Amino acid sequence: MNKSFNSPLVTVFIPTYNVEKYVKRSIESIIQQTYSNLEIIIIDDGSTDRTVEIIKRINDKRIKVYMNSKNMGIPFTRQRGLDLATGKYFAVMDSDDLAVSDRIEKEVGILEDMPNIDIVSSDYKLFKERIKRVVKLHLSSAELKILLMFTCMICNPSTMFRLSKIKDNHIKYNPNYFVAQDYRFWADLSGSSNFYNIREPLLLYRTGHANISNVSRKHDGELRKRLIDQIHSDLLGQYGFKLNREQLKIFNTFFGERQKGQVPISLAKLVELRYSLIKQNRVFDSSDFARVLDFVITKKINNNYSSIYQVTVAYIKLVKNKNIVSLFMCIIKVLLNKVKEN
């Protein structure tokens, strides 16, 4: 990374809602960054605990605190943050996570050195009381766009992007997406933007508590599924994939949100869908597309079955009488990891 870049203003946006246990440490992790030219915008969305009181006790002239008149929800609050931002770059930060001290410096360095990159993110560490594991996403921009067609694995609170890209393309947070608003946002940006993921963990992502992602999964499951299905449909169309009604149903059932009591899809149908997607691909490198598709398929199967036996049986059915080399290699890796876990 070129250390000689100028120090453009970075807006760090932190939405808050009833996070009195975590917000002080989260804000301090931003205040103590090695990169100092920051505008720290904090918007509280109607907290009923001591969150606002704690924030106002933090003395740093870079902090700007705003309060919604009532609880408006995360899409409204995130959009308000975008509208208030004056920085060249916009860094997302959640009020219960912790940023590594040089996160902002490294992300600014990428965006300054690589003008073709619009959105930068990083690997991250899952933690509760202690570090659980490191989550890595070592994919190219094209591979990340492919991945978005099936699922969103971008760590939202590790991201930074060019504010001009958002404004020039009139991208906004969709108010209808009370859940998956970040997935929708990245999907809308993906057609006009390039991604870059830094291959080191620059964020500690807190788990095991009632954060926004966990709460949203517990409520309005059917509506959440419809919203994510719509993202899938839009991205498939954006990249020229045409699925019939049955194929789209299989796609959304397998790659979408798993519903309680959901009947498993036929693995034979999944193989047919895989073949159709690979055949229709005209935008992405064929090897990249197949590799990412097979990665997502194996990840989904691994998450849906609890035992090594169940996973193995599912994979045997999936590849039976099929010459699917890349999928087979993904399967071997997942099975080896499954054995280690047990």
Side-chain angles (χ1 to χ4, degrees):
M1 182 179 70
N2 182 6
K3 294 286 187 179
S4 65
F5 60 79
N6 295 322
S7 298
L9 180 66
V10 175
T11 298
V12 180
F13 170 62
I14 310 175
T16 63
Y17 178 71
N18 287 350
V19 282
E20 61 180 4
K21 291 182 180 179
Y22 312 115
V23 69
K24 185 173 185 290
R25 285 189 66 199
S26 180
I27 294 172
E28 287 175 344
S29 76
I30 294 298
I31 290 173
Q32 296 165 5
Q33 288 288 303
T34 57
Y35 190 94
S36 60
N37 192 16
L38 305 176
E39 167 190 61
I40 305 170
I41 292 179
I42 302 172
I43 301 180
D44 186 77
D45 192 26
S47 290
T48 56
D49 64 0
R50 295 175 55 248
T51 295
V52 174
E53 176 188 340
I54 292 168
I55 293 170
K56 288 184 174 181
R57 287 179 181 173
I58 301 173
N59 184 23
D60 192 296
K61 64 181 182 180
R62 297 171 297 177
I63 294 177
K64 301 176 182 179
V65 182
Y66 301 87
M67 288 174 282
N68 292 338
S69 58
K70 60 180 180 179
N71 182 254
M72 299 296 294
I74 194 64
F76 175 91
T77 304
R78 288 200 186 282
Q79 184 57 48
R80 189 180 181 194
L82 281 179
D83 294 339
L84 290 168
T86 61
K88 179 178 181 180
Y89 302 127
F90 188 96
V92 181
M93 181 67 188
D94 283 350
S95 55
D96 50 0
D97 298 330
L98 302 173
V100 174
S101 62
D102 58 354
R103 172 201 159 184
I104 301 298
E105 179 184 346
K106 288 183 175 178
E107 292 179 345
V108 170
I110 294 296
L111 293 172
E112 286 288 287
D113 286 350
M114 305 173 69
N116 62 312
I117 299 299
D118 305 297
I119 304 159
V120 61
S121 58
S122 76
D123 295 346
Y124 59 99
K125 294 180 180 179
L126 293 174
F127 84 107
K128 189 177 180 182
E129 300 302 325
R130 57 186 178 83
I131 301 298
K132 291 183 177 180
R133 64 187 177 92
V134 176
V135 179
K136 301 177 181 180
L137 192 61
H138 295 178
L139 300 175
S140 67
S141 179
E143 289 169 330
L144 283 169
K145 291 182 182 186
I146 297 167
L147 185 63
L148 278 172
M149 292 173 58
F150 307 99
T151 187
C152 184
M153 292 178 64
I154 296 169
C155 181
N156 192 65
S158 78
T159 58
M160 181 186 292
F161 51 83
R162 300 181 190 277
L163 201 57
S164 60
K165 174 63 70 168
I166 308 301
K167 294 180 178 179
D168 291 348
N169 289 277
H170 308 289
I171 303 294
K172 294 180 178 291
Y173 281 97
N174 190 318
N176 297 321
Y177 279 70
F178 76 102
V179 294
Q181 62 280 143
D182 302 322
Y183 191 0
R184 177 78 265 178
F185 188 72
W186 302 130
D188 290 344
L189 264 173
S190 64
S192 60
S193 306
N194 289 316
F195 296 84
Y196 186 97
N197 190 75
I198 297 173
R199 298 186 177 192
E200 64 176 294
L202 298 179
L203 184 91
L204 278 68
Y205 185 90
R206 191 182 298 274
T207 63
H209 67 299
N211 63 8
I212 292 170
S213 297
N214 289 333
V215 170
S216 69
R217 286 187 175 91
K218 294 179 181 179
H219 302 285
D220 300 298
E222 289 186 8
L223 178 55
R224 178 184 173 87
K225 176 172 169 48
R226 287 201 299 271
L227 292 173
I228 293 176
D229 288 354
Q230 185 61 55
I231 296 173
H232 288 161
S233 181
D234 291 346
L235 286 175
L236 286 167
Q238 176 176 303
Y239 294 119
F241 293 89
K242 296 180 180 180
L243 304 184
N244 61 38
R245 184 175 297 181
E246 181 186 12
Q247 288 174 322
L248 188 58
K249 182 178 180 180
I250 293 169
F251 187 103
N252 285 327
T253 299
F254 185 76
F255 295 112
E257 290 283 294
R258 191 178 184 186
Q259 300 295 296
K260 187 176 181 180
Q262 179 176 298
V263 178
I265 69 167
S266 162
L267 291 173
K269 293 289 186 182
L270 177 59
V271 171
E272 292 175 5
L273 175 62
R274 177 189 180 276
Y275 176 77
S276 178
L277 290 168
I278 289 174
K279 188 177 180 181
Q280 289 190 47
N281 172 42
R282 296 290 184 274
V283 174
F284 302 104
D285 175 83
S286 58
S287 296
D288 289 347
F289 185 81
R291 183 168 58 253
V292 174
L293 174 56
D294 291 343
F295 164 75
V296 181
I297 289 174
T298 52
K299 183 177 177 63
K300 280 288 185 178
I301 290 178
N302 189 48
N303 290 343
N304 289 345
Y305 295 95
S306 57
S307 71
I308 297 173
Y309 173 76
Q310 289 175 318
V311 172
T312 305
V313 169
Y315 286 152
I316 290 172
K317 289 180 180 179
L318 189 61
V319 302
K320 187 177 181 181
N321 299 321
K322 299 286 181 180
N323 182 20
I324 308 178
V325 177
S326 62
L327 182 54
F328 180 75
M329 295 305 296
C330 285
I331 289 168
I332 295 299
K333 289 179 182 178
V334 170
L335 287 176
L336 288 173
N337 288 333
K338 200 80 173 176
V339 170
K340 289 179 183 177
E341 291 172 5
N342 286 269

